[in-house]
Amino acid sequence: MSSCKHSVLVLLPDRKNVLRCQHCHLTIKADELGKSYCPECYEINGNKLFDFEEVAAENPGRARYRCEACGLIVESD
Ligand SMILES: [Zn+2]
Ligand SMILES: [Zn+2]
Protein backbone atom coordinates (compact mmCIF):
# COMPACT_ATOMS: atom_id res chain seq x y z
CA MET A 1 0.00 0.00 0.00
CA SER A 2 1.11 3.55 -0.56
CA SER A 3 1.87 5.84 2.31
CA CYS A 4 -0.27 8.63 0.89
CA LYS A 5 -2.35 10.37 3.52
CA HIS A 6 -4.74 11.75 0.89
CA SER A 7 -4.37 15.25 2.27
CA VAL A 8 -4.90 17.03 -1.07
CA LEU A 9 -8.49 16.18 -1.94
CA VAL A 10 -10.34 17.74 -4.83
CA LEU A 11 -14.11 17.64 -4.94
CA LEU A 12 -15.36 15.89 -8.06
CA PRO A 13 -18.30 17.28 -10.03
CA ASP A 14 -21.62 16.32 -8.54
CA ARG A 15 -23.45 13.93 -10.81
CA LYS A 16 -26.80 14.57 -9.18
CA ASN A 17 -27.04 18.02 -10.69
CA VAL A 18 -29.66 16.97 -13.20
CA LEU A 19 -32.98 18.75 -13.52
CA ARG A 20 -36.23 17.44 -14.94
CA CYS A 21 -38.93 19.65 -16.37
CA GLN A 22 -42.22 19.00 -14.62
CA HIS A 23 -44.17 19.67 -17.83
CA CYS A 24 -42.41 17.83 -20.64
CA HIS A 25 -40.09 15.71 -18.44
CA LEU A 26 -37.03 16.75 -20.32
CA THR A 27 -33.91 16.08 -18.28
CA ILE A 28 -31.01 18.46 -18.56
CA LYS A 29 -27.84 19.12 -16.63
CA ALA A 30 -28.13 22.07 -14.30
CA ASP A 31 -24.94 23.67 -15.53
CA GLU A 32 -26.09 23.21 -19.11
CA LEU A 33 -29.39 24.90 -18.45
CA GLY A 34 -27.99 27.68 -16.32
CA LYS A 35 -30.76 30.04 -15.29
CA SER A 36 -32.68 29.51 -18.48
CA TYR A 37 -36.19 28.22 -19.17
CA CYS A 38 -37.01 24.76 -20.46
CA PRO A 39 -35.98 24.71 -24.14
CA GLU A 40 -38.34 21.83 -24.92
CA CYS A 41 -41.47 23.52 -23.56
CA TYR A 42 -40.50 26.71 -25.32
CA GLU A 43 -40.22 24.85 -28.59
CA ILE A 44 -43.57 23.07 -28.10
CA ASN A 45 -45.80 25.91 -26.96
CA GLY A 46 -43.69 29.03 -26.67
CA ASN A 47 -43.94 29.17 -22.87
CA LYS A 48 -40.88 30.01 -20.84
CA LEU A 49 -41.22 27.61 -17.93
CA PHE A 50 -38.89 27.27 -14.98
CA ASP A 51 -40.55 24.37 -13.16
CA PHE A 52 -37.75 21.92 -12.64
CA GLU A 53 -37.18 19.26 -10.03
CA GLU A 54 -33.88 17.66 -9.16
CA VAL A 55 -33.52 14.10 -10.30
CA ALA A 56 -32.62 11.57 -7.64
CA ALA A 57 -28.91 11.11 -7.20
CA GLU A 58 -27.06 7.92 -7.94
CA ASN A 59 -25.25 8.24 -4.64
CA PRO A 60 -27.54 10.33 -2.47
CA GLY A 61 -25.78 12.44 0.09
CA ARG A 62 -22.32 11.35 -0.95
CA ALA A 63 -19.58 13.65 -2.05
CA ARG A 64 -16.72 12.22 -4.07
CA TYR A 65 -13.16 13.43 -3.86
CA ARG A 66 -10.00 12.58 -5.70
CA CYS A 67 -6.62 12.65 -4.07
CA GLU A 68 -4.32 14.87 -6.13
CA ALA A 69 -1.25 13.00 -4.95
CA CYS A 70 -2.16 9.38 -5.71
CA GLY A 71 -5.37 9.66 -7.76
CA LEU A 72 -7.49 7.59 -5.39
CA ILE A 73 -11.23 8.26 -5.39
CA VAL A 74 -12.74 8.53 -1.93
CA GLU A 75 -16.34 8.97 -0.89
CA SER A 76 -17.59 10.71 2.19
CA ASP A 77 -21.01 10.86 3.75
ZN1 LIG B 1 -3.62 9.93 -1.87
ZN1 LIG C 1 -40.32 21.36 -20.39
Side-chain angles (χ1 to χ4, degrees), residues 14-49:
D14 196 345
R15 273 184 299 168
K16 72 185 173 189
N17 256 347
V18 175
L19 301 173
R20 180 169 56 212
C21 175
Q22 294 180 357
H23 301 279
C24 69
H25 300 137
L26 172 82
T27 54
I28 189 165
K29 287 194 195 118
D31 55 357
E32 220 169 275
L33 184 71
K35 298 254 184 274
S36 188
Y37 48 83
C38 173
E40 190 78 9
C41 283
Y42 185 69
E43 201 164 289
I44 293 169
N45 52 34
N47 289 337
K48 295 181 179 179
L49 299 171

Side-chain angles (χ1 to χ4, degrees), residues 2 4-9 67-72:
S2 80
C4 182
K5 291 186 173 61
H6 312 311
S7 54
V8 193
L9 295 179
C67 175
E68 281 283 85
C70 71
L72 186 86

